[in-house]
């Protein structure tokens, strides 16, 4: 049959922008927390640290980037300026930077170039709160902040994400004032116009904050998305630093905008390197669990790796991360459903249009999908395997350009001549991993039990975690 036999399903709004679709494909990337705190052994610098303290003894951007790459990360976001105000690049707008440290090198440049060499994306964290700057709290500071944003977006190549932190603790050095400064975080940064600078300079960058506009905080720093986690949010109810964490964790359905969640969490207890925490690096198994609670719930996994005082990633972190990658790859390298015969209770246009046939859910591509007729919202999809297989993970993906369409599904296995339910899930979106004990069967069925419109399923896969 020629294409065009039947129209594709109408998109279900809100929809992702192309920059968000590209971001969804990354799934796992890293954070680098590095500044004066690394040398003062603190988590939040006060802003009165001398640039002289920043002096890595053996800085190796390639070692840092390779550690991330070996762990399976697709990008790295660097704290170019944390709350203490110290800049890892020689900003024209302040003396409080690497240019006045004994180190003198441009860390932002070196990390961004190492990312480019290794094929990783590069992202930027620029703390809105600045405990060093004398003007913090007045309108002049916003001019400074925006100038810095322009520097980072013009001089360091493509930036895939900017992380806008909502944290604001009040007191600081502030150019010697040593006082408490309160701002109204809904209005002070004039976010719409600040964000517009990014849009103008790099339209493909995704903007992260509690309020998006592109990616939202997941509401905790433990790496755990809600068991139900929608890719959509009523983002205008929030501003950075001003949000309901329970709603961020779960999203809003149907929601006014596409603003999927990002799960930021550190591989150690702290965000910055502390020698005392060398023995508290998360284990590979703990990292795997976090993968399931973030990527497996439609969010992304942003894992922090803190460079140490040498300016390298500590061996313990490198090893844990590498083993994590091995475990994830061992699970997902083989789709046990690949050779199955797949059939559906309904396929759009009577199954004659190749764009919507069930086999599209098995071709390993998130760009093709199986869809049903408009009035069929609770169809089923059945895999008949050539022989019994043992699996412990089911992976589902929706075809995101048509929006988040499915609310809930059930999964059945064929056992003793009948169907037996072994799992249920809500909110599919980019990826839903249903993980359980090993199941051995020759037939598996996906039932869509609730959907707002006819489903468009891009993937239905079966995998086995290594024992
Ligand atoms: C928080 C900050 O206060 C932490 O220091 C860290 O940067 C984390 C990612 O965000 O809000």
């Amino acid at each position: 049959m020629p294409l065009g036999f039947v129209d594709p399903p109408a998109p279900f709004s809100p929809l992702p922008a192309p920059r968000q679709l590209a971001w969804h494909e990354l799934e796992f990337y890293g954070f680098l927390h590095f500044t004066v705190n690394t040398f003062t052994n603190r988590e939040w610098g006060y802003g009165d640290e001398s640039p002289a303290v920043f002096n890595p003894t053996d800085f190796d951007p390639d070692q840092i980037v390779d550690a991330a790459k070996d762990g399976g990360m697709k990008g790295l976001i660097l704290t170019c300026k944390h709350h203490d105000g110290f800049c890892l690049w020689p900003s024209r707008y302040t003396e409080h930077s690497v240019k006045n440290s004994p180190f003198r090198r441009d860390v932002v440049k070196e990390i961004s170039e190492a990312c480019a060499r290794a094929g990783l994306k590069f992202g930027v964290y620029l703390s809105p709160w600045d405990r060093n700057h004398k003007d913090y709290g007045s309108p002049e500071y916003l001019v400074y902040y925006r100038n810095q944003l322009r520097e980072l977006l013009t001089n360091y190549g493509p930036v895939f994400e900017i992380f806008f932190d909502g944290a604001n603790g009040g007191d600081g050095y502030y150019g010697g004032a040593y006082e408490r400064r309160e701002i109204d975080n809904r209005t002070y940064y004039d976010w719409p116009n600040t964000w517009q600078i990014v849009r103008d300079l790099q339209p493909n960058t995704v903007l992260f904050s509690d309020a998006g506009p592109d990616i939202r905080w997941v509401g905790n720093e433990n790496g755990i998305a809600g068991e139900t986690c929608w890719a959509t949010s009523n983002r205008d109810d929030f501003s950075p630093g001003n949000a309901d964490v329970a709603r961020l964790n779960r999203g809003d359905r149907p929601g006014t905008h596409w603003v999927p969640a990002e799960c930021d969490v550190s591989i150690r207890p702290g965000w910055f390197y502390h020698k005392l925490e060398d023995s508290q690096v998360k284990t590979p198994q703990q990292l795997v669990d976090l993968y399931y609670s973030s990527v497996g719930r439609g969010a992304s996994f942003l894992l922090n790796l803190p460079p140490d005082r040498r300016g390298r990633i500590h061996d313990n972190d490198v090893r844990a991360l590498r083993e994590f990658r091995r475990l994830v790859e061992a699970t997902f390298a083989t789709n046990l459903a690949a050779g199955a015969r797949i059939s559906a209770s309904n396929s759009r246009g009577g199954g004659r249009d190749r764009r919507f046939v069930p086999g599209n859910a098995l071709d390993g591509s998130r760009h093709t999908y199986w869809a049903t007729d408009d009035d069929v919202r609770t169809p089923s999809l059945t895999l008949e395997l050539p022989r019994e297989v043992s699996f412990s993970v089911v992976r589902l993906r929706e075809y995101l350009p048509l929006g988040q369409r499915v609310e809930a599904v059930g999964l059945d296995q064929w056992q003793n001549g009948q169907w037996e339910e072994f799992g249920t899930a809500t909110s599919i979106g980019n990826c839903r991993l249903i993980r359980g004990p090993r199941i051995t069967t020759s037939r598996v069925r996906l039932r869509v039990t609730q959907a707002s419109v006819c489903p468009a399923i891009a993937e239905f896969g079966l995998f086995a975690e290594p024992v």
Side-chain angles (χ1 to χ4, degrees), residues 31 33 43-44 79 82-83 125 129 163 165-167 221 264 271-272:
F31 227 158
H33 273 70
E43 277 291 309
W44 277 9
T79 54
H82 202 251
H83 308 325
Y125 170 112
W129 182 31
F163 190 104
D165 197 324
E221 293 182 342
D264 61 324
W271 291 100
F272 288 92

Side-chain angles (χ1 to χ4, degrees), residues 103-172:
F103 187 62
R104 294 188 64 88
R105 284 155 64 179
D106 184 339
V107 177
V108 177
K109 182 163 189 280
E110 295 198 30
I111 293 285
S112 64
E113 289 178 352
C115 281
R117 276 194 291 280
L120 263 67
K121 306 218 177 277
F122 174 69
V124 162
Y125 170 112
L126 183 69
S127 173
W129 182 31
D130 189 320
R131 304 174 95 182
N132 173 263
H133 205 273
K134 64 175 180 25
D135 292 335
Y136 186 77
S138 71
E140 287 74 35
Y141 172 75
L142 190 57
V143 176
Y144 172 74
Y145 185 74
R146 288 175 171 176
N147 280 335
Q148 294 204 311
L149 205 51
R150 289 189 191 97
E151 283 184 311
L152 292 171
L153 286 161
T154 28
N155 300 333
Y156 299 99
V159 169
F160 83 99
E161 173 172 331
I162 300 193
F163 190 104
F164 292 105
D165 197 324
N168 197 306
D171 61 326

Side-chain angles (χ1 to χ4, degrees), residues 44-291:
W44 277 9
Y46 204 73
D48 59 357
E49 297 77 14
S50 163
V53 307
F54 187 84
N55 198 12
T57 54
D58 191 17
F59 179 59
D60 186 344
D62 291 307
Q63 189 273 348
I64 294 173
V65 171
D66 288 346
K69 187 174 181 172
D70 285 350
M73 291 176 171
K74 298 290 180 353
L76 278 173
I77 299 175
L78 174 66
T79 54
C80 300
K81 181 188 85 170
H82 202 251
H83 308 325
D84 54 77
F86 181 75
C87 299
L88 295 188
W89 80 104
S91 171
R92 284 174 52 199
Y93 303 100
T94 180
E95 292 305 304
H96 198 56
S97 82
V98 280
K99 75 182 168 205
N100 289 315
S101 74
F103 187 62
R104 294 188 64 88
R105 284 155 64 179
D106 184 339
V107 177
V108 177
K109 182 163 189 280
E110 295 198 30
I111 293 285
S112 64
E113 289 178 352
C115 281
R117 276 194 291 280
L120 263 67
K121 306 218 177 277
F122 174 69
V124 162
Y125 170 112
L126 183 69
S127 173
W129 182 31
D130 189 320
R131 304 174 95 182
N132 173 263
H133 205 273
K134 64 175 180 25
D135 292 335
Y136 186 77
S138 71
E140 287 74 35
Y141 172 75
L142 190 57
V143 176
Y144 172 74
Y145 185 74
R146 288 175 171 176
N147 280 335
Q148 294 204 311
L149 205 51
R150 289 189 191 97
E151 283 184 311
L152 292 171
L153 286 161
T154 28
N155 300 333
Y156 299 99
V159 169
F160 83 99
E161 173 172 331
I162 300 193
F163 190 104
F164 292 105
D165 197 324
N168 197 306
D171 61 326
Y173 166 73
Y174 304 128
Y178 285 102
E179 64 189 9
R180 195 172 176 80
R181 292 188 182 171
E182 303 292 348
I183 51 108
D184 180 343
N185 53 16
R186 281 163 309 192
T187 54
Y188 178 59
Y189 301 101
D190 180 17
W191 285 118
N193 288 310
T194 301
W195 288 334
Q196 191 56 43
I197 294 170
V198 185
R199 292 284 195 246
D200 291 344
L201 291 171
Q202 293 212 25
N204 297 327
T205 306
V206 291
L207 305 184
F208 164 98
S209 82
D210 294 357
D214 299 319
I215 309 296
R216 73 176 195 268
W217 186 42
V218 77
N220 63 60
E221 293 182 342
N222 310 322
I224 303 184
E227 173 57 56
T228 296
C229 184
W230 305 109
T232 47
S233 153
N234 298 346
R235 68 181 187 200
D236 296 341
D237 292 354
F238 304 138
S239 58
N242 249 312
D244 173 339
V245 290
R247 272 177 61 195
L248 290 178
N249 196 240
R250 138 183 257 286
D252 295 308
R253 176 76 175 171
T256 55
H257 294 86
W258 190 273
V259 194
E262 174 177 274
C263 298
D264 61 324
V265 56
S266 186
I267 195 164
R268 291 160 173 247
W271 291 100
F272 288 92
Y273 177 83
H274 308 289
K275 190 165 183 35
L276 261 177
E277 296 180 355
D278 282 350
S279 57
Q280 295 178 66
V281 175
K282 291 190 172 61
T283 64
Q285 252 329 314
Q286 285 175 309
L287 296 176
V288 168
D289 291 345
L290 291 174
Y291 181 83

